[in-house]
Amino acid sequence: MTREEVEELAEGAILLDGFDECITGVVEEFGNGIRILYSRDKILESLQKDMSYEDALEYYYYNIVGGHFGERNPLFLL
């Protein structure tokens, strides 16, 4: 699924910069609209290009999962 397809399907949902290859799909949640689903494992793989696994895991939980980017935050598949 390309970024353009995701943007069209999930207009207004939060997209994470630099992690397009980690998008698994688009999901819909009652009361929260359509949101982007990312693969946690793919995000960690992407982060490990520049840091250790431990640092990638810390970065993921603190900056990505722990971040509040808006009302339609992304979701993460474990």
Side-chain angles (χ1 to χ4, degrees):
M1 182 173 276
T2 67
R3 184 179 181 98
E4 292 77 26
E5 291 171 325
V6 170
E7 287 175 337
E8 186 177 320
L9 282 171
E11 185 177 342
I14 303 301
L15 281 162
L16 301 175
D17 289 334
F19 295 104
D20 290 355
E21 74 278 0
C22 304
I23 295 173
T24 300
V26 176
V27 297
E28 187 171 21
E29 180 183 17
F30 179 78
N32 285 327
I34 296 175
R35 295 161 74 181
I36 310 301
L37 179 66
Y38 288 88
S39 165
R40 178 189 68 174
D41 291 342
K42 287 183 181 179
I43 290 174
L44 290 173
E45 285 176 21
S46 178
L47 290 170
Q48 287 179 78
K49 293 175 186 172
D50 298 317
M51 60 185 76
S52 70
Y53 175 78
E54 291 78 16
D55 288 342
L57 198 59
E58 181 178 338
Y59 183 92
Y60 169 76
Y61 280 109
Y62 185 78
N63 294 296
I64 298 176
V65 174
H68 180 73
F69 305 103
E71 290 186 21
R72 290 172 55 198
N73 270 345
L75 299 171
F76 304 96
L77 180 65
L78 301 180

